[in-house]
Amino acid sequence: MSEDLAAVARASAAWPFEEARKLVARIERTGQTKVLFETGYGPSGLPHIGTFGEVARTSMVRRAFELITEGRIETHLIAFSDDMDGLRKAPDNVPNRDMLVAHLGMPLTRVPDPFGSEHGSFGAANNARLRAFLDRFGFSYEFASSTDYYASGRFDETLMKMLAVYDRVMDIILPTLGPERRATYSPFLPVSPTSGKVLQVPIVERDARRGTIVYVDPDSGDKVETRVTGGAVKCQWKADWALRWAALGVDYEMAGKDLIDSVKLSSEIVKALGASPPEGFNYELFLDDKGQKISKSKGNGLTIEEWLTYASPQSLALFMYQKPREAKRLHFDVIPRAVDDYLQFLAGYAKQDAKNRLGNPVWHIHAGAPPEPEVLHHVGESGAGTTVSFGMLLNLVAVANSEDPKVVWGFLRRYAPTASPETYPRLDALVGYAIAYYRDFVRPAKRFHAADEVEAQALRKLSEALAALPADADAEAVQTALYDVARPIPRYQDFAAKGATPERPGVSNQWFSTIYRILLGEEKGPRFGSFVALYGLAETRALIDKALSGALIAEHAAFLAARGA
């Protein structure tokens, strides 16, 4: 790694570097030569994007730390699944829900898989879904199963410590509980040898020397003695969190804002166990389209699979990177912006100095090695080229009136003859995403506007101006023609625009809004000169004729009627 880049990183204001500096201070205090990052996952419901967000953000901090320390400190990331937790309620968004209800209280790895997969249990199936996505994105991590760690004895030493400081743990937790819960609370949850359920029962006796506890079986009423090691018990989750931190030596873990109090309590338990709580920060929660917190059991947010139907993993990582301490709506309508923001950040990266590169999200998304952007070069064009935006493709799909990628590529190749899906694989993927998003969200929401007399006359003049351009006119030539058409029309004049004069007024955004509403059925759209250059001059003129004839409105009305039927 570059020593100069590491020096820039030590002063960077980007939030992953701010977090990494906490860990630098930690290792300076302890002298340790390894750092362990952890993310937690509760597989009681289908994996959702919030889970991915923790891994993505933690990986960003990990990479930032590695740069600051110039790779001298060994790092590891554990993705820990709390799959020994008892099933508390059946999620609403899974099949065979009645079967799940019949297994309430059982460890998730002993609950049958409602999807009937080969994984053998509900917990294992959800773990597999999580790992599949993390692997697809290329995260470097070690998967850890609570069931495996308890049963294998890996937690035994710390469980014995927990039993030895039982009273101190109770003193930490009990003041935070109500009277009813306080009467039954114990940091240890025995796993019933008869029913197999994780029991929430009070402990009536304990023997720290022998490593055993005694509880009253809720079914038989008999006293049962069990050891706390070897998977015979599971800790309550705040104690369980502390157990993991202490047993594994976790140095860094993030948590949602709703868990601030839990982090404090678990940290106090860690100290009682003779260990140090990890560093970390609290991120804000994701909200659904109604402003409600996303829940795995409700399934009221986007799933990982849904995002990846319409956009790239990199766009999702950007969504996670931006403003992690602010609550954000996580719904389908945020996807186009995330995609185009990613493309813009990637396009700008090569032009930046070291300081700004480390503040560019793509440095963090791509672990310090962003790829070159894919840009199209028009016939005879030299220089930077054109980055095709998601918004541009959505409109190209719309006016092409086809959901066939080959048709869309036909337009792209006419603009840039050397381009192909093979030479532009990321653009090809973007075409597929745009087709899917257009089909499911954009087309149903379109609202075409009928042109009034002024608008119709302006569009006819625009058609004439396009006809006067050479066949290979580039985006700038088209954009200039757009301005020249609108400038004499009083409705579209803007005398407050920069550089405007009474003789040469500026052009208001109303002109472009008019074009978008009449030709594309939307309030906003891409830079229209770039769109026309891709779509074609003759094709744009035909689109204008179709709009002015009323055919676009009639076609869309027929589509909506058929969709409603």
Side-chain angles (χ1 to χ4, degrees):
M1 298 182 189
S2 166
E3 184 176 346
D4 292 341
L5 193 60
V8 173
R10 294 184 191 108
S12 175
W15 69 262
F17 289 111
E18 292 180 346
E19 290 301 298
R21 287 193 285 271
K22 295 179 185 178
L23 284 167
V24 171
R26 184 183 183 94
I27 64 172
E28 288 175 349
R29 291 194 306 269
T30 63
Q32 66 195 77
T33 58
K34 297 181 180 180
V35 165
L36 179 64
F37 296 82
E38 182 184 57
T39 63
Y41 168 58
S44 57
L46 299 179
H48 64 76
I49 289 178
T51 307
F52 163 73
E54 281 199 22
V55 183
R57 289 167 172 165
T58 302
S59 297
M60 292 173 186
V61 176
R62 179 186 182 186
R63 174 59 181 166
F65 173 79
E66 290 173 341
L67 177 58
I68 288 177
T69 57
E70 301 176 66
R72 294 191 299 266
I73 304 297
E74 185 179 341
T75 66
H76 296 275
L77 169 61
I78 289 181
F80 197 97
S81 172
D82 190 16
D83 56 17
M84 194 175 166
D85 194 24
L87 179 65
R88 299 185 187 116
K89 63 179 181 178
D92 298 327
N93 58 339
V94 298
N96 300 312
R97 192 171 180 274
D98 291 343
M99 180 271 289
L100 290 182
V101 171
H103 287 82
L104 292 178
M106 297 290 289
L108 293 167
T109 45
R110 296 186 186 179
V111 176
D113 180 15
F115 296 94
S117 71
E118 73 280 5
H119 299 292
S121 75
F122 188 39
N126 284 332
N127 287 342
R129 290 183 179 91
L130 175 69
R131 292 197 306 271
F133 181 75
L134 299 183
D135 292 343
R136 177 177 179 179
F137 196 80
F139 288 117
S140 173
Y141 71 99
E142 174 189 341
F143 180 79
S145 160
S146 176
T147 299
D148 293 342
Y149 275 46
Y150 272 98
S152 67
R154 189 158 183 179
F155 285 156
D156 282 359
E157 181 180 348
T158 310
L159 284 164
M160 291 293 288
K161 289 181 181 178
M162 184 82 72
L163 184 57
V165 297
Y166 184 94
D167 289 333
R168 292 175 62 185
V169 174
M170 296 290 278
D171 289 341
I172 292 168
I173 297 294
L174 291 184
T176 69
L177 305 176
E180 183 177 344
R181 186 73 184 91
R182 193 181 301 139
T184 62
Y185 179 83
S186 166
F188 298 107
L189 302 175
V191 179
S192 172
T194 54
S195 69
K197 293 183 178 181
V198 180
L199 303 176
Q200 296 204 30
V201 291
I203 303 305
V204 296
E205 298 175 28
R206 63 185 188 277
D207 188 326
R209 182 181 60 81
R210 295 175 57 226
T212 61
I213 56 175
V214 177
Y215 64 94
V216 176
D217 185 280
D219 295 324
S220 67
D222 297 333
K223 284 187 177 181
V224 179
E225 183 178 42
T226 186
R227 55 199 171 99
V228 298
T229 55
V233 305
K234 183 195 182 295
C235 284
Q236 293 266 15
W237 90 266
K238 294 183 182 71
D240 183 79
W241 213 1
L243 177 82
R244 297 204 311 254
W245 290 348
L248 305 179
V250 176
D251 296 296
Y252 189 89
E253 181 161 2
M254 297 181 176
K257 188 177 179 180
D258 57 334
L259 298 180
I260 290 177
D261 290 339
S262 298
V263 170
K264 292 177 180 177
L265 290 173
S266 295
S267 296
E268 290 303 311
I269 296 174
V270 169
K271 294 174 185 176
L273 293 170
S276 298
E279 308 299 325
F281 87 126
N282 296 102
Y283 54 82
E284 260 291 0
L285 306 178
F286 294 121
L287 308 175
D288 65 13
D289 58 324
K290 298 180 178 61
Q292 301 296 312
K293 175 188 170 184
I294 286 177
S295 165
K296 292 191 299 292
S297 60
K298 292 181 181 178
N300 61 328
L302 284 178
T303 66
I304 292 169
E305 291 79 8
E306 285 171 331
W307 185 289
L308 294 181
T309 298
Y310 306 109
S312 66
Q314 292 77 25
S315 64
L316 176 55
L318 174 65
F319 186 82
M320 298 302 166
Y321 176 88
Q322 293 177 312
K323 300 179 180 178
R325 291 183 174 90
E326 293 185 13
K328 294 187 288 187
R329 290 177 63 256
L330 182 54
H331 198 246
F332 293 104
D333 56 4
V334 308
I335 290 177
R337 173 70 179 272
V339 175
D340 281 341
D341 282 353
Y342 167 76
L343 294 173
Q344 289 177 12
F345 282 123
L346 187 63
Y349 181 79
K351 308 168 190 174
Q352 295 176 316
D353 59 19
K355 176 183 177 182
N356 287 303
R357 283 187 173 187
L358 293 185
N360 188 323
V362 298
W363 189 94
H364 302 273
I365 291 168
H366 293 283
E372 290 290 326
E374 291 185 345
V375 296
L376 295 180
H377 287 88
H378 193 33
V379 178
E381 181 184 34
S382 61
T386 299
T387 299
V388 179
S389 70
F390 195 58
M392 180 82 71
L393 284 176
L394 289 174
N395 285 294
L396 192 58
V397 172
V399 296
N401 196 29
S402 173
E403 295 178 8
D404 185 349
K406 293 179 181 178
V407 174
V408 178
W409 267 105
F411 290 103
L412 296 175
R413 268 196 296 267
R414 186 172 57 188
Y415 178 84
T418 61
S420 71
E422 292 73 29
T423 56
Y424 288 80
R426 281 178 276 141
L427 178 56
D428 187 46
L430 194 64
V431 169
Y433 294 138
I435 289 172
Y437 194 88
Y438 172 79
R439 177 190 64 232
D440 294 342
F441 300 107
V442 176
R443 188 178 183 187
K446 281 183 176 291
R447 296 293 182 269
F448 287 93
H449 169 70
D452 63 22
E453 185 175 345
V454 173
E455 293 164 339
Q457 182 67 15
L459 287 172
R460 292 189 187 98
K461 289 182 178 179
L462 174 58
S463 181
E464 293 170 2
L466 295 178
L469 291 174
D472 61 350
D474 62 15
E476 290 305 318
V478 175
Q479 197 74 10
T480 298
L482 283 168
Y483 279 99
D484 289 344
V485 166
R487 212 179 301 278
I489 302 174
R491 179 183 292 186
Y492 303 126
Q493 291 174 342
D494 182 3
F495 292 98
K498 183 178 180 180
T501 65
E503 296 75 22
R504 185 178 172 80
V507 175
S508 71
N509 288 332
Q510 186 179 357
W511 169 230
F512 297 98
S513 176
T514 295
I515 294 172
Y516 300 141
R517 289 186 297 120
I518 295 174
L519 301 187
L520 302 176
E522 299 180 22
E523 292 295 324
K524 299 179 181 179
R527 190 170 187 265
F528 203 71
S530 299
F531 170 76
V532 173
L534 275 176
Y535 184 51
L537 297 173
E539 287 75 11
T540 303
R541 295 187 66 211
L543 183 64
I544 291 172
D545 291 343
K546 194 172 184 179
L548 296 181
S549 72
L552 284 181
I553 292 177
E555 283 183 3
H556 191 62
F559 162 75
L560 292 177
R563 186 170 182 267

